[in-house]
Amino acid sequence: MGTVRTQVAIVGAGPAGLVLAHLLHLEGVRCVVLERHDRPYVEGRVRAGLLEQGTADLLRDSGAGERMDREGHVHEGFELRFDGERHRLSTMELCGRTVTMYGQQEVVKDLLRARTEAGAPPYFGVDDIVLDELTGDRATLRCTLGGTPTTVRADFVAGCDGFHGVTRRSVPGGHLTAYRKDYPFAWLGILAAAPPAGEELVYGVHDRGFALHSMRSATVSRLYLQVAPDQDLARWPDDRIWAELRTRLCPSGEPLNEGPVLQRGITSMRGFVAEPMQYGRLFLAGDAAHIVPPTGAKGLNLAVSDAAVLAGALASWYAGGNREPLDQYTRTCLRHVWQAQDFSARMTWLLHPHPGEDPMETRLRRARLRHLVGSRTAAASFAEDYAGLTRDPAAARRGADLAGRPSAAAGGRRGRAT
Ligand code: RFL
Ligand code: PHB
């Protein structure tokens, strides 16, 4: 039986866990990262690709943005297509902010390299974690590390193990309240070896359903189609996918480059929030605490934002025993979590015809789309949410609120040391 002692035990090497580990390292706080899968799996998982400006700034400011700055693409706007019309919304003009297209798995690779260079890579293949003690003087968890049954003793546990992880489920019944909304459709997503047809993302609304043309690089496109939630991928051969993309995205013959499909998958659409995001010495971050439907591209950005808040709160605790930011962790995070939930739900409603919806709803959605492209005020509000004014993770790390002022939670008030 082995024993590992550390200050913070991080469960999960996704974006939340790795950003947290990276920021804690910069603050001089010791941590171990415990990941269920092997490294190739973690580095190869294709998911998000849109980084809000605050997320890109945080990676850059913390020294993990060098490759992102070289290989990522900064977008100043996006296109919306509906009723055979094309409308460009410039987030830069509307709210002075941009987004960066850079694959989540590339962010993960960069952060894993930083952990390796710091001499503390994650433990991979750890698939039997049991949280033993969360409310005593220390936190304790059990798992097998390198074939040896091991007890990990830490001051705190960070639950960064995604929606299906073990940490949230380890909180005793009655302590968390779950809020949940399931949508009656899903996304079929493909990664294709095809140069993107344009410079910017295209969101297409069609009677047959929503479609999105996104990208990962100058040679790789990422495309999505709204499908029924129980769709079988076998019913979607490549020809059918491309034909459907053309119908929904290119009603007037706009260009779309086809190429070999490298990956495909179905993503269900769900909104979920667990409150509070902490229990004793356990703090949940990212998808472990909340899920948004992917329409608004907020999941990764929220995960990074939570990690930044938690890193700041832990650093404050270790620097001088100030417990206040840790106590306020849920409150600080939930404000932007719910803002992102609200935006994601509104954007999902706006862009997806719901199965069986009545003609009144169809017309209401069209009216809302027309308002968005016709009113500068409406477009500016949308652009702010889209490019990420919800909460700037880089500011969160510095302990500042939306206006850049030091926030009460991260401020200098001394709390009771435990
Ligand atoms: P992750 O990425 O799920 O990482 C959790 C990690 O924990 C590990 N794990 C465990 N480890 C140890 N013990 C256990 N018992 C464990 N159980 C799980 C897992 O193996 C994994 O490595 O959560 P994290 O870090 O919170 O990050 C969240 C993001 O991954 C997620 O929100 C985004 O991908 C959502 N998302 C998007 N977000 C954006 O901000 N912008 C986008 O453009 C965007 N597009 C998307 C998306 C998600 C999608 N899917 C597939 C859900 C597009 C799609 C299609
Ligand atoms: C993506 O590239 O995965 C992506 C981009 C924008 C979105 C959603 C997903 O709104």
Side-chain angles (χ1 to χ4, degrees):
M1 171 70 90
T3 303
V4 170
R5 288 178 206 281
T6 189
Q7 290 177 309
V8 183
I10 300 174
V11 182
L18 291 172
V19 167
L20 179 61
H22 179 59
L23 297 181
L24 288 179
H25 172 73
L26 297 179
E27 299 284 359
V29 177
R30 281 182 294 116
C31 63
V32 293
V33 181
L34 307 167
E35 164 60 44
R36 166 186 231 157
H37 289 103
D38 62 16
R39 187 164 179 160
Y41 175 91
V42 170
E43 288 188 338
R45 206 168 43 164
V46 176
R47 291 179 109 188
L50 184 152
L51 309 184
E52 292 176 357
Q53 186 167 316
T55 302
D57 287 348
L58 178 131
L59 293 172
R60 193 173 294 123
D61 291 353
S62 66
E66 195 198 314
R67 199 162 65 94
M68 172 192 75
D69 280 335
R70 244 189 0 256
E71 296 177 16
H73 287 263
V74 175
H75 288 199
E76 297 191 352
F78 61 88
E79 192 175 311
L80 201 52
R81 291 185 191 161
F82 63 96
D83 288 351
E85 296 171 18
R86 302 169 60 171
H87 300 269
R88 179 173 186 265
L89 271 75
S90 165
T91 56
M92 190 62 190
E93 272 172 34
L94 289 162
C95 70
R97 293 170 83 82
T98 60
V99 299
T100 299
M101 296 311 296
Y102 188 62
Q104 175 169 325
Q105 76 276 24
E106 305 306 325
V107 175
V108 163
K109 280 183 208 161
D110 295 345
L111 291 166
L112 281 174
R113 211 183 58 194
R115 297 304 307 140
T116 306
E117 283 171 5
Y123 290 94
F124 289 100
V126 186
D127 66 356
D128 60 350
I129 292 177
V130 177
L131 303 193
D132 262 349
E133 174 62 65
L134 293 171
T135 53
D137 286 352
R138 292 280 175 276
T140 309
L141 57 84
R142 275 178 293 131
C143 58
T144 304
L145 298 184
T148 308
T150 304
T151 300
V152 179
R153 294 190 202 288
D155 298 332
F156 301 101
V157 176
C160 303
D161 49 348
F163 184 67
H164 299 289
V166 67
T167 58
R168 189 184 66 251
R169 282 184 282 117
S170 304
V171 175
H175 288 275
L176 297 185
T177 304
Y179 301 89
R180 181 175 180 137
K181 177 172 178 58
D182 292 290
Y183 291 85
F185 40 78
W187 275 14
L188 188 163
I190 61 164
L191 195 68
E199 301 264 297
E200 295 182 339
L201 271 62
V202 179
Y203 293 85
V205 185
H206 191 274
D207 291 347
R208 294 176 63 88
F210 167 75
L212 168 60
H213 184 342
S214 181
M215 59 211 57
R216 289 295 177 269
S217 70
T219 53
V220 176
S221 299
R222 179 85 165 133
L223 299 128
Y224 297 102
L225 282 172
Q226 174 186 352
V227 295
D230 48 2
Q231 274 298 309
D232 180 0
L233 265 181
R235 294 189 53 214
W236 286 90
D238 293 6
D239 286 356
R240 183 178 176 202
I241 294 176
W242 290 113
E244 198 61 35
L245 284 166
R246 271 190 196 290
T247 304
R248 297 187 195 179
L249 282 171
C250 319
S252 312
E254 291 88 346
L256 179 71
N257 297 326
E258 294 185 17
V261 174
L262 306 172
Q263 272 202 32
R264 70 190 75 217
I266 304 259
T267 301
S268 56
M269 308 281 280
R270 178 186 301 136
F272 174 88
V273 182
E275 292 189 12
M277 290 169 60
Q278 60 200 92
Y279 171 74
R281 290 175 175 275
L282 170 67
F283 293 84
L284 302 173
D287 280 15
H290 41 72
I291 296 275
V292 280
T295 328
K298 293 294 171 208
L300 166 63
N301 294 290
L302 280 179
V304 171
S305 175
D306 289 351
V309 173
L310 186 53
L314 288 166
S316 187
W317 161 253
Y318 283 110
N322 180 11
R323 171 97 211 190
E324 176 88 2
L326 279 175
D327 290 342
Q328 293 294 328
Y329 172 71
T330 294
R331 213 174 96 107
T332 308
C333 290
L334 279 184
R335 257 189 305 157
H336 66 262
V337 166
W338 278 110
Q339 246 183 298
Q341 288 286 349
D342 174 47
F343 175 68
S344 302
R346 278 186 284 124
M347 190 166 165
T348 300
W349 182 82
L350 184 69
L351 300 183
H352 295 76
H354 286 45
E357 76 180 10
D358 63 41
M360 177 77 181
E361 277 179 84
T362 309
R363 277 161 181 72
L364 286 174
R365 199 182 46 257
R366 190 166 298 151
R368 186 60 60 91
L369 280 166
R370 290 245 155 265
H371 183 57
L372 177 61
V373 298
S375 153
R376 192 180 164 88
T377 312
S381 166
F382 188 93
E384 270 184 15
D385 275 324
Y386 181 82
L389 210 72
T390 43
R391 186 180 165 90
D392 185 336
R397 189 177 163 232
R398 294 193 303 269
D401 69 7
L402 280 179
R405 295 180 295 257
S407 72
R413 269 193 292 154
R414 293 276 148 192
R416 185 171 52 85
T418 58

